[in-house]
Amino acid sequence: MPTNCLFCRIAANEQPATRLYEDDDVIAIRDIAPRAPTHILLIPRRHIASALDLTDAEGPLLGRLFAVAADLARSEGIADDGYRLASNVGRWGGQTVDHLHIHLMGGRAFEWPPG
Ligand code: AMP
Ligand code: ZN
């Protein structure tokens, strides 16, 4: 594990976060600077830098991330109105933490395409 990776540290309980869900493969935390009434991050425990590093081998892990997102959307009460899932990749994609994560955002309407 990269010792300086924020999300590796959160996954290892070395850095505080508001955890909503965790299992052997995935954790879900509240974003520290929410951009929507509900803003949750789905994070694989294993360090993967971004979606650029995904292969077919991560298929089950991605399924898990999306399934946990759907469960949390239901429990947060945002499933019926709809929500946004996004994973930023690299500098121009807006990625600021270099550990793969999916934003789950809801509670308001979103523009398309994003700015
Ligand atoms: P991105 O910019 O797509 O890489 O997303 C990184 C997200 O992590 C941003 O929305 C940040 O607000 C969020 N973030 C940064 N530090 C923390 C932290 N300590 N706990 C929870 N979320 C964080
Ligand atoms: Zn990491």
Side-chain angles (χ1 to χ4, degrees):
M1 151 192 144
T3 50
N4 60 347
C5 173
L6 174 64
F7 289 169
C8 281
R9 290 176 57 80
I10 287 175
N13 262 318
E14 295 171 4
Q15 173 91 15
T18 303
R19 287 167 182 256
L20 301 176
Y21 175 84
E22 61 186 307
D23 62 27
D24 287 347
D25 302 313
V26 172
I27 67 167
I29 63 171
R30 290 217 189 269
D31 197 293
I32 203 166
R35 307 293 181 90
T38 294
H39 190 169
I40 293 167
L41 302 174
L42 292 305
I43 304 170
R45 281 187 187 279
R46 178 161 66 86
H47 184 85
I48 299 169
S50 80
L52 191 58
D53 295 304
L54 292 170
T55 70
D56 287 353
E58 280 77 44
L61 175 62
L62 289 177
R64 192 81 205 110
L65 287 166
F66 277 80
V68 171
D71 283 344
L72 286 170
R74 287 187 202 97
S75 62
E76 293 279 315
I78 60 172
D80 288 346
D81 285 332
Y83 54 92
R84 175 69 55 84
L85 296 175
S87 190
N88 298 325
V89 180
R91 187 162 54 95
W92 278 23
Q95 185 174 8
T96 59
V97 177
D98 290 333
H99 179 132
L100 177 70
H101 51 283
I102 298 172
H103 296 259
L104 164 60
M105 306 171 81
R108 66 173 173 86
F110 296 94
E111 304 288 327
W112 188 262

